Amino acid sequence: MYYQKYRSEKVADLDLVAVRSAFGTMMDSGKDAHAYLFVGPRGLGKTSAARILARLVNCEKNYSKGKLNKKLVEPCGECDACVSIKKGSAVDVMEIDAASHRGIDDIRDLRERINLAPAVLPKKVYIIDEVHMLTAEAFNALLKTLEEPPEHAMFVLATTEAHKVPETIVSRCVRINFTKATMGELLTCLRRAVAGEGLKIDDEALMVLASGLDGSFREGHKLLEQLANRYEVITAEKVREVLSTIGNDRVEALLSAVDRGEAPVVVKLMTDLETEGIEVVNLVTKLLILLQARLRGEVENKGLISRSDSRLVSRLVRVVKQVKISPLPLLPLEMVLVEAA
């Protein structure tokens, strides 16, 4: 899979400029924290960055006489520490999915093990993914460890929902935000895979692909791989077919029908879009972009916003989760728009 094959392996490979800058500052200072909180949507490389951090603080190049250097350099990728972490065989680097290990017993077990000295590497690194899924009792147990961490331990907590992480935990971590990728960052990521695979795809096609990704590197790699498996030469038109992108005129027509209270027109437009195989999250995103522009205009011109627009925005944001689990992805969105009309 492209996403695994072309995941970042060193700090310079991190596609998010802000994250790369944060790592660079840490490397220059030589000061590593005992706990980090990586916050951001899925598909932006939080786990890859956590593994790079684990290599950074364990790479033989960053140690002199058993102590971490005052200035850190890129993980070499060749020493035993780097190789074992990359392979996932390093016993001192543990990845925990909090969605399935969320109870207090899991964290108590972690606390008991973390006090033991590392078996091989200089530092033990615990990467806890989806940390917001921990129970209240588990968070309290984790807090005690973060308050008095062993010198040899480091935590990397990753979450897509930072608001669910207790402030007591957040305050004891260095927070690094993984924001949705810009067009430039997405293109950099995609071009690395294009070059590595020798794909025949022009800049226009890459631009069309990047514009339909909603800022996700993982989604970009998945779609690029689908295109590569389907076409020998990837054109902008073929990318549009796979994305099933929708023009702004269709979105505006949909919102206009809602504004006028024309529910039958909404149903007709949604039926047409379903026939065309529209990508639902892409449609929701474009609806939100138009509503955002409308709300900003209302504030600038009138100093207030429409209650109906505000309610529709809230419902569209909530419907995204329903779309992802619905056997008929378009149906939850269609219900919201018909009810609004």
Side-chain angles (χ1 to χ4, degrees), residues 6-69:
Y6 295 103
R7 67 164 66 243
S8 301
E9 298 290 344
K10 55 185 180 179
V11 175
D13 290 340
L14 292 168
D15 293 306
L16 289 176
V17 174
V19 174
R20 193 165 66 242
S21 176
F23 271 57
T25 300
M26 183 197 73
M27 291 167 67
D28 289 340
S29 69
K31 294 179 181 178
D32 61 312
H34 71 276
Y36 291 85
L37 179 65
F38 290 177
V39 177
R42 292 178 177 83
L44 291 176
K46 295 190 294 298
T47 303
S48 296
R51 291 171 184 167
I52 291 171
L53 183 56
R55 283 182 221 147
L56 197 61
V57 298
N58 280 300
C59 179
E60 290 176 8
K61 278 194 173 183
N62 283 322
Y63 280 85
S64 297
K65 297 179 180 179
K67 290 187 176 181
L68 198 64
N69 295 335

Side-chain angles (χ1 to χ4, degrees), residues 184-240:
E185 291 167 339
L186 287 167
L187 289 172
T188 298
C189 174
L190 291 170
R191 283 176 179 141
R192 188 159 59 243
V194 167
E197 298 296 319
L199 303 181
K200 296 177 181 178
I201 179 171
D202 58 29
D203 283 346
E204 183 189 359
L206 278 176
M207 292 285 285
V208 173
L209 177 57
S211 66
L213 295 178
D214 194 27
S216 171
F217 296 125
R218 182 184 301 158
E219 193 64 24
H221 278 131
K222 285 168 59 179
L223 287 170
L224 184 61
E225 189 167 10
Q226 287 179 30
L227 287 160
N229 290 335
R230 192 178 301 183
Y231 306 111
E232 185 175 340
V233 178
I234 304 169
T235 64
E237 189 56 41
K238 287 169 181 174
V239 174
R240 289 190 183 95

Side-chain angles (χ1 to χ4, degrees), residues 50-230:
R51 291 171 184 167
I52 291 171
L53 183 56
R55 283 182 221 147
L56 197 61
V57 298
N58 280 300
C59 179
E60 290 176 8
K61 278 194 173 183
N62 283 322
Y63 280 85
S64 297
K65 297 179 180 179
K67 290 187 176 181
L68 198 64
N69 295 335
K70 290 184 177 179
K71 187 170 182 177
L72 307 182
V73 297
E74 284 274 19
C76 69
E78 298 173 356
C79 68
D80 290 343
C82 285
V83 172
S84 64
I85 294 171
K86 181 177 180 178
K87 288 182 177 178
S89 60
V91 294
D92 293 314
V93 176
M94 283 138 284
E95 296 187 26
I96 301 167
D97 180 9
S100 53
H101 298 85
R102 60 194 303 263
I104 188 170
D105 290 339
D106 296 300
I107 301 302
R108 280 176 177 164
D109 179 54
L110 179 154
R111 287 180 61 194
E112 289 175 7
R113 285 184 287 141
I114 203 167
N115 286 318
L116 300 173
V120 179
L121 304 179
K123 279 189 179 288
K124 276 189 171 183
V125 181
Y126 285 83
I127 301 168
I128 306 181
D129 196 20
E130 300 297 346
V131 71
H132 63 271
M133 297 291 287
L134 292 180
T135 64
E137 294 81 4
F139 269 127
N140 287 334
L142 178 60
L143 178 60
K144 292 178 181 178
T145 301
L146 294 182
E147 286 175 334
E148 298 178 2
E151 185 69 24
H152 59 254
M154 173 184 283
F155 284 90
V156 184
L157 314 179
T159 179
T160 54
E161 300 185 53
H163 61 282
K164 293 183 179 179
V165 181
E167 184 57 37
T168 49
I169 298 289
V170 175
S171 65
R172 285 163 176 79
C173 300
V174 172
R175 175 170 173 156
I176 298 181
N177 291 320
F178 287 66
T179 56
K180 286 184 179 181
T182 64
M183 178 70 78
E185 291 167 339
L186 287 167
L187 289 172
T188 298
C189 174
L190 291 170
R191 283 176 179 141
R192 188 159 59 243
V194 167
E197 298 296 319
L199 303 181
K200 296 177 181 178
I201 179 171
D202 58 29
D203 283 346
E204 183 189 359
L206 278 176
M207 292 285 285
V208 173
L209 177 57
S211 66
L213 295 178
D214 194 27
S216 171
F217 296 125
R218 182 184 301 158
E219 193 64 24
H221 278 131
K222 285 168 59 179
L223 287 170
L224 184 61
E225 189 167 10
Q226 287 179 30
L227 287 160
N229 290 335
R230 192 178 301 183

